Amino acid sequence: MKKRYGLLILAGFLAAAAGFIPLCALEVRESGETGRVVFLKRVAPGDTFTLSFIHSVEKSEVTDYFRIDDNNRIILYQTDFSSLNTGLPAVASGEEVFRRTDRGFRLSNINRAFPEILLRVHEDYGGTLSAGGRVVSLPALAGNGLLRISTRRVFAWELLPWALRV
């Protein structure tokens, strides 16, 4: 009986200690006064996510593709869009590849690092984040306004409430 209790105590201690393991997370935070976190998901090098929205001037869909690199930075590696006008890419530079697709245009092999992404969202322009098979409406998370998307170190216990959300 004492051995069983000892194993239960040890298991509890190990579970509690595991909560203090540092991990990397993708964080979406309101950029207002409170800076409230509205989305938090564990990420690791090689993980990808997309941001899709309707371009505010061109009124055409844009999808940006990102990956997490070995230093947990956000790297833009591709952009798909259906228009070649104001505020959208029209040429490639360096190693980038610009081509026409069946849905419009694609700029790939971009490799631009972002310490954070500031994204103004509004229900009129949609705005979704797709990560790990989950698609989230950004205006539904935080309303209309400016969001700050970044990676940061978190402890495992910080991710638990977010992992339980459906």
Side-chain angles (χ1 to χ4, degrees), residues 2-160:
K2 287 182 181 182
K3 188 175 186 178
R4 177 181 283 175
Y5 287 124
L7 288 175
L8 285 174
I9 291 170
L10 179 61
F13 175 75
L14 290 175
F20 289 98
I21 295 172
L23 303 168
C24 184
L26 181 66
E27 177 184 81
V28 179
R29 179 182 290 273
E30 290 178 328
S31 194
E33 291 179 24
T34 62
R36 179 177 65 103
V37 175
V38 296
F39 180 85
L40 192 67
K41 181 185 183 327
R42 181 178 181 206
V43 291
D47 286 353
T48 61
F49 68 95
T50 64
L51 293 173
S52 297
F53 53 92
I54 303 299
H55 192 275
S56 62
V57 174
E58 287 303 309
K59 308 293 189 238
S60 62
E61 186 174 344
V62 176
T63 301
D64 290 328
Y65 296 82
F66 300 90
R67 68 178 162 75
I68 307 300
D69 75 359
D70 291 338
N71 296 315
N72 294 318
R73 297 180 307 166
I74 298 172
I75 306 295
L76 173 66
Y77 67 89
Q78 180 175 293
T79 298
D80 289 345
F81 47 97
S82 58
S83 175
L84 282 177
N85 290 316
T86 306
L88 293 166
V91 295
S93 62
E95 300 291 317
E96 297 173 350
V97 176
F98 185 85
R99 67 182 174 94
R100 187 160 180 70
T101 67
D102 57 344
R103 296 185 64 202
F105 303 93
R106 174 172 291 154
L107 185 60
S108 59
N109 203 36
I110 300 172
N111 202 33
R112 287 188 199 135
F114 290 87
E116 64 182 8
I117 299 166
L118 294 175
L119 182 65
R120 185 160 305 280
V121 297
H122 192 282
E123 60 191 15
D124 291 347
Y125 304 112
T128 60
L129 180 144
S130 178
R134 184 172 169 207
V135 179
V136 178
S137 165
L138 295 173
L141 284 178
N144 300 332
L146 187 62
L147 297 178
R148 188 176 305 271
I149 302 167
S150 62
T151 57
R152 74 172 173 98
R153 286 271 186 223
V154 297
F155 292 112
W157 59 266
E158 291 179 78
L159 291 167
L160 186 59

